[in-house]
Amino acid sequence: MLYIVGLGLGDERDITLRGLEAVKQCDKVYIEAYTSLLSFGISSDGLSTLEKLYGRPVILADREMVEEKADEILSASRVSDVAFLVVGDPFGATTHTDLVVRAKKLGIVVKVIHNASVMNAIGICGLQLYRYGETVSIPFFTETWRPDSFYEKIQSNRNLGLHTLCLLDIRVKEPSLESLCRGKKQYEPPRYMTIKTAIKQLLEVVQAKVESVYNEDTECVGFARIGSEDQIVVAGTMKQLQLIDFGAPLHCLVITGNTHPVEEEMLDFYRVGKENLEQVDDRTS
């Protein structure tokens, strides 16, 4: 059997009781480590913490393993119980549908155990979840690659008065272009997009558009390490949020649409300049 287990957003304690029971009975345990990370990060200490709780060795499954060596996971699942751990929810911000489809085609029983995801945890700011439009991903720009397909989705959402969740790029164990050209993979250092970088790129994109559906005065909500003990939530204009140091990853951003009075009341607790901004320890740049 293949268990796809959501870990939640904070630390090792966020796994559900059902998920923990499943992991403890599995012969092999993999953790997916390229679309997100727990608050303590994916490190030797972090893995040790998980292994101590689970009573099992944990195998780090990077993008290369999941995309190119999934047969190893599936082969093991045919003869024993295997757990594939996913930060957040297995079918939240990033799905692992391909792995499930391949398993089912091989006749492997798949059991999914859900958990909290960024897709619902953003509700903490008070914006109603049913008033969100399509979620977008903001990739890191390079000198030669500046994709802006997300703009049309933001435009569509804002024209409908809907909020937009922007998921910010994570680059973990990515081979460098130079090493690929040489035929020998060498990996770039991990990079996690900040809210400041995301807003800078969003404003760069809108400058080239005839119709500007947002600008530096557009209200947004910035989130850092959502679901963790030290999470930060700040509401303000794009210009204001660029001055906030949100600290360590992971970050995400919501561009607000039309807001109801109750949403406004809740947002007011998080707006720049309010007393609650003690949560950011006065870390402004």
Side-chain angles (χ1 to χ4, degrees):
M1 179 180 288
L2 176 62
Y3 289 91
I4 313 289
V5 182
L7 295 182
L9 296 169
D11 56 30
E12 72 281 0
R13 297 169 297 172
D14 280 358
I15 191 171
T16 64
L17 290 176
R18 183 179 295 175
L20 185 58
E21 289 174 359
V23 170
K24 285 187 172 182
Q25 76 179 38
C26 286
D27 298 294
K28 283 191 175 183
V29 180
Y30 295 87
I31 181 168
E32 182 265 290
Y34 62 90
T35 62
S36 191
L37 75 163
L38 292 173
S39 61
F40 54 75
I42 298 301
S43 63
S44 57
D45 290 341
L47 288 178
S48 296
T49 302
L50 295 178
E51 291 175 338
K52 182 178 180 180
L53 176 64
Y54 302 155
R56 295 283 187 278
V58 177
I59 303 168
L60 196 62
D62 56 25
R63 184 188 299 273
E64 188 174 293
M65 171 175 280
V66 176
E67 294 183 352
E68 300 176 16
K69 302 177 182 178
D71 289 342
E72 294 181 16
I73 299 173
L74 296 175
S75 295
S77 302
R78 300 187 76 167
V79 296
S80 62
D81 289 337
V82 173
F84 184 75
L85 311 181
V86 181
V87 177
D89 183 83
F91 300 106
T94 302
T95 68
H96 294 279
T97 307
D98 181 65
L99 187 63
V100 173
V101 169
R102 292 181 62 181
K104 288 182 175 292
K105 285 182 176 179
L106 293 172
I108 299 169
V109 178
V110 178
K111 187 169 185 179
V112 177
I113 301 176
H114 295 283
N115 209 319
S117 164
V118 65
M119 303 293 283
N120 55 19
I122 54 174
I124 186 67
C125 73
L127 297 176
Q128 299 298 307
L129 296 178
Y130 64 85
R131 293 188 53 77
Y132 278 80
E134 187 171 357
T135 298
V136 303
S137 296
I138 311 295
F140 276 113
F141 285 177
T142 68
E143 291 183 3
T144 58
W145 190 64
R146 283 174 160 71
D148 62 358
S149 58
F150 54 80
Y151 180 82
E152 292 183 0
K153 297 175 182 179
I154 296 173
Q155 181 182 44
S156 176
N157 289 343
R158 287 185 63 77
N159 286 341
L160 293 170
L162 302 176
H163 314 309
T164 305
L165 170 60
C166 303
L167 300 176
L168 310 188
D169 203 0
I170 298 173
R171 308 286 289 178
V172 178
K173 201 176 180 182
E174 296 287 340
S176 66
L177 180 60
E178 183 180 354
S179 70
L180 290 175
C181 293
R182 292 178 176 176
K184 185 177 181 180
K185 284 185 180 179
Q186 290 184 329
Y187 299 100
E188 299 176 345
R191 289 196 298 158
Y192 306 97
M193 184 179 288
T194 64
I195 289 168
K196 184 175 182 178
T197 297
I199 292 175
K200 179 182 177 181
Q201 293 188 179
L202 284 164
L203 292 176
E204 179 182 319
V205 166
V206 82
Q207 288 177 2
K209 302 298 180 180
V210 175
E211 179 187 358
S212 301
V213 294
Y214 59 80
N215 55 48
E216 64 177 11
D217 295 319
T218 299
E219 185 168 63
C220 298
V221 185
F223 302 82
R225 301 171 302 285
I226 189 168
S228 303
E229 292 292 335
D230 65 341
Q231 73 175 12
I232 292 176
V233 182
V234 183
T237 65
M238 288 189 175
K239 185 177 181 179
Q240 289 173 325
L241 294 189
Q242 282 186 302
L243 300 177
I244 301 293
D245 178 3
F246 284 87
L250 295 172
H251 296 183
C252 65
L253 180 73
V254 168
I255 302 173
T256 64
N258 296 339
T259 53
H260 288 169
V262 174
E263 291 178 304
E264 282 292 322
E265 285 188 90
M266 188 68 172
L267 274 181
D268 203 39
F269 287 108
Y270 297 104
R271 285 199 168 96
V272 172
K274 297 295 181 180
E275 291 182 1
N276 73 304
L277 278 186
E278 292 175 359
Q279 66 177 321
V280 301
D281 298 326
D282 295 322
R283 293 174 298 174
T284 57
S285 56

